[in-house]
């Protein structure tokens, strides 16, 4: 019996090791034996990891920042970029924002976010995977900000307008929703400053799938079509090593650029080594003063730059942005997708993060929204809301969990925050409980017997402060306005507000529905259907179909 078990274990281990070869096109050995570690890979003194080790058919798999360490049934250690037949996608673990008492914490501070990758990634789970996404893959603000809203255009000295609307909340009895909507000034493509773009492309073996490198090439072709003579493109690839495929080339040489793109092929291990350093070096060589200087990374997230510590990598990218070069991440593929890395790198690099799951999404990001993707009109945008204890009892910020700032960070111009691209719209919701109403929290014995002092300031729910910097400037500008005590039924709100509430409810439901109250999937679908006007590209109708898919999967 023991002999049979040993034979079975050995056979299964051989099968798993052989499966890794699917990530490589060459016939070279897939797994290279590494020196045996002094302790098992899953113990505390092993290399830094992002999660717990997993046992799978006789092989111990340990997730690491840019790859995986294996220990087979015989105790031999291996390293590889991605394990076979195991979903190793990685997401940032974030708890939803809690409820705050205004009497104790009247001030809320956060950075704006224009990323949209979470929406497209969740869509991929629902449409192609036929299953609900992991809760950590859902970020409410990226769901809401995936859509354009018809806010008023800026008319004064500031590069964006600020719009507020207060409605009855569909989630919590007695609650109100305060919507803060920002609209950045538009720039026509011909108005964009000249662009210095560096494409950093993952061509490792794990990119050899239809939804990876072939889709990357389609995406780059779309961007190439938009280039002007004053724009320059550099193309760098990385796999077993980094390679300068195309030196800085003018946008009027589209055939030359397309030829370089068309010749890209996947193969080799995922090891970028000094690829990102090369990308910054090339971007600095072609730096355009007062222009657009940006690196665009296209990868499935197994992005290895020779740095194994996540914090060190972010710090390096954050330091590089001081040179005026921003970094945008474009995510592709499934199975081994490292979404946490993609989203956090874009944040550190003052860029934006998008997930490209279809050619249609590529057109949205790099064709219709090219200006907002590339051109920044306001940097380090921070929002601080001070709630009035006379009129507001409790509040919670909907989403933006990984964008929270300390209150003292608001005035500190050395603290990084999000940027807004030309034409971008950004939306944020606070759910509040007006004073005197029953909310999420129980009144304490003494609080219940304490009357607030009479105040003349009973006409404001809150005071909104915003800080931002003009591009390439170091001193922030303050913008302030009061949020009045007013409200309307949700049914009487603008179609944009009603639709944004439906999207936020959809995201909250995918995260477990803890804050959705009695709102059901059918209510979310109904609210979206009644507010889908201004749907030029059919994105709102697509959302309704996604909500229906989620509803059916939830029923199962």
């Amino acid at each position: 019996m023991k002999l049979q078990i040993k034979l079975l274990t050995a056979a299964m281990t051989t099968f798993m090791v052989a499966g890794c070869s699917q990530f490589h096109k060459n016939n070279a050995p897939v797994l290279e034996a590494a020196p045996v570690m002094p302790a098992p890979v899953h113990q505390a003194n092993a290399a830094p990891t992002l999660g717990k080790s997993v046992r799978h058919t006789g092989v111990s798999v340990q997730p690491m920042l840019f790859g995986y360490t294996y220990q087979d049934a015989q105790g031999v250690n291996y390293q590889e970029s991605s394990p076979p037949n195991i979903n190793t996608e990685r997401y940032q673990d974030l708890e939803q924002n809690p409820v705050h008492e205004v009497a104790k914490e009247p001030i809320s501070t956060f950075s704006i976010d224009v990323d949209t990758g979470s929406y497209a990634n969740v869509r991929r789970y629902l449409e192609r995977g036929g299953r609900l996404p992991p809760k950590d893959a859902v970020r409410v603000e990226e769901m809401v900000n995936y859509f354009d809203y018809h806010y008023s255009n800026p008319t004064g000295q500031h590069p964006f307008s600020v719009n507020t609307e207060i409605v009855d909340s569909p989630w919590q009895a007695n609650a109100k929703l305060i919507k803060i909507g920002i609209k950045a000034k538009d720039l026509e493509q011909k108005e964009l400053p000249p662009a210095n773009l560096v494409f950093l492309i993952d061509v490792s073996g794990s990119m050899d799938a239809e939804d990876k490198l072939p889709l990357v090439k389609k995406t780059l072709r779309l961007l190439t079509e938009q280039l002007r003579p004053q724009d320059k493109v550099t193309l760098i690839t990385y796999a077993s090593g980094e390679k300068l495929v195309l030196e800085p080339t003018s946008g009027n040489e589209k055939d030359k650029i397309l030829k370089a793109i068309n010749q890209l092929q996947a193969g080799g291990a995922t090891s970028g080594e000094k690829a990102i350093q090369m990308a910054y070096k090339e971007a600095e060589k072609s730096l355009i003063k007062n222009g657009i200087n940006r690196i665009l990374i296209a990868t499935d997230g197994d992005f290895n730059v020779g740095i194994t510590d996540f914090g060190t990598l972010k710090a390096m990218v954050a330091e590089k942005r001081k040179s005026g070069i921003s970094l945008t991440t474009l995510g592709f593929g499934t199975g081994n997708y490292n979404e946490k890395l993609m989203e956090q790198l874009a944040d550190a690099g003052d860029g934006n993060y998008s997930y490209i799951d279809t050619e249609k999404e590529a057109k949205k990001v790099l064709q219709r929204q090219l200006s907002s993707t590339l051109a920044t009109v306001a940097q380090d945008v921070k929002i601080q809301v001070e709630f009035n204890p006379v009129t507001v009892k409790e509040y919670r910020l909907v989403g933006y969990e990984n964008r929270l700032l300390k209150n003292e960070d608001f005035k500190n111009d050395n603290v990084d925050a999000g940027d807004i691209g030309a034409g971008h719209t950004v939306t944020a919701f606070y759910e509040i409980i007006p004073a005197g109403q029953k909310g999420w929290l129980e009144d304490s014995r003494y609080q219940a017997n304490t009357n607030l002092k009479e105040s003349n300031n009973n006409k404001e729910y809150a005071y909104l402060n915003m800080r931002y910097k003009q591009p390439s400037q170091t001193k922030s500008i303050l913008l302030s306005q009061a949020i009045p005590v007013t409200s309307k039924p949700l049914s009487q709100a603008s179609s944009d507000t009603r639709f944004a509430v439906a999207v936020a409810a959809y995201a909250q439901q995918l995260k477990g529905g803890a804050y959705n109250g009695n709102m059901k999937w059918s209510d979310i679908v109904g609210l979206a259907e009644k507010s889908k006007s201004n749907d030029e590209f059919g994105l709102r109708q697509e959302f309704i179909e996604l909500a229906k898919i989620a509803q059916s999967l939830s029923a199962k």
Side-chain angles (χ1 to χ4, degrees), residues 56-221:
H56 188 76
T57 49
V59 180
S60 175
V61 181
Q62 179 69 59
M64 299 177 68
L65 179 59
F66 299 113
Y68 288 77
T69 297
Y70 301 86
Q71 188 177 74
D72 66 14
Q74 283 74 43
V76 178
N77 293 308
Y78 299 95
Q79 288 186 338
E80 174 58 25
S81 61
S82 183
N85 303 322
I86 301 175
N87 189 319
T88 61
E89 298 189 9
R90 280 158 278 176
Y91 300 95
Q92 188 176 10
D93 183 13
L94 292 169
E95 294 293 329
Q96 293 186 78
N97 288 325
V99 174
H100 298 278
E101 293 182 65
V102 175
K104 296 178 179 178
E105 298 177 83
I107 299 175
S108 171
T109 309
F110 67 100
S111 162
I112 61 94
D113 187 5
V114 296
D115 294 340
T116 60
S118 178
Y119 182 91
N121 189 35
V122 166
R123 177 178 61 200
R124 180 257 300 185
Y125 270 95
L126 296 174
E127 286 189 336
R128 293 164 53 192
R131 60 192 179 98
L132 295 173
K135 292 180 181 179
D136 290 335
V138 182
R139 287 187 293 278
V140 180
E141 69 278 5
E142 292 189 29
M143 300 289 184
V144 174
N145 289 329
Y146 182 81
F147 300 91
D148 288 327
Y149 300 102
H150 302 83
Y151 301 145
S152 61
N153 290 313
T155 55
Q157 60 178 337
H158 302 291
F160 53 83
S161 64
V162 181
N163 309 264
T164 61
E165 190 172 10
I166 300 98
V167 299
D168 295 340
S169 173
W171 305 322
Q172 171 76 11
N174 307 317
K176 308 289 183 184
L177 284 177
I178 297 175
K179 185 194 75 173
I180 302 171
I182 299 170
K183 172 63 185 296
K185 67 179 181 181
D186 283 308
L187 286 178
E188 297 292 335
Q189 186 177 344
K190 61 183 179 181
E191 299 178 285
L192 291 178
N196 165 34
L197 306 177
V198 177
F199 299 156
L200 182 56
I201 312 302
D202 182 353
V203 293
S204 63
S206 68
M207 291 291 288
D208 190 12
E210 281 301 313
D211 60 349
K212 294 188 178 183
L213 188 56
L215 187 54
V216 170
K217 292 162 74 172
K218 290 179 181 178
T219 301
L220 296 182
R221 292 186 195 111

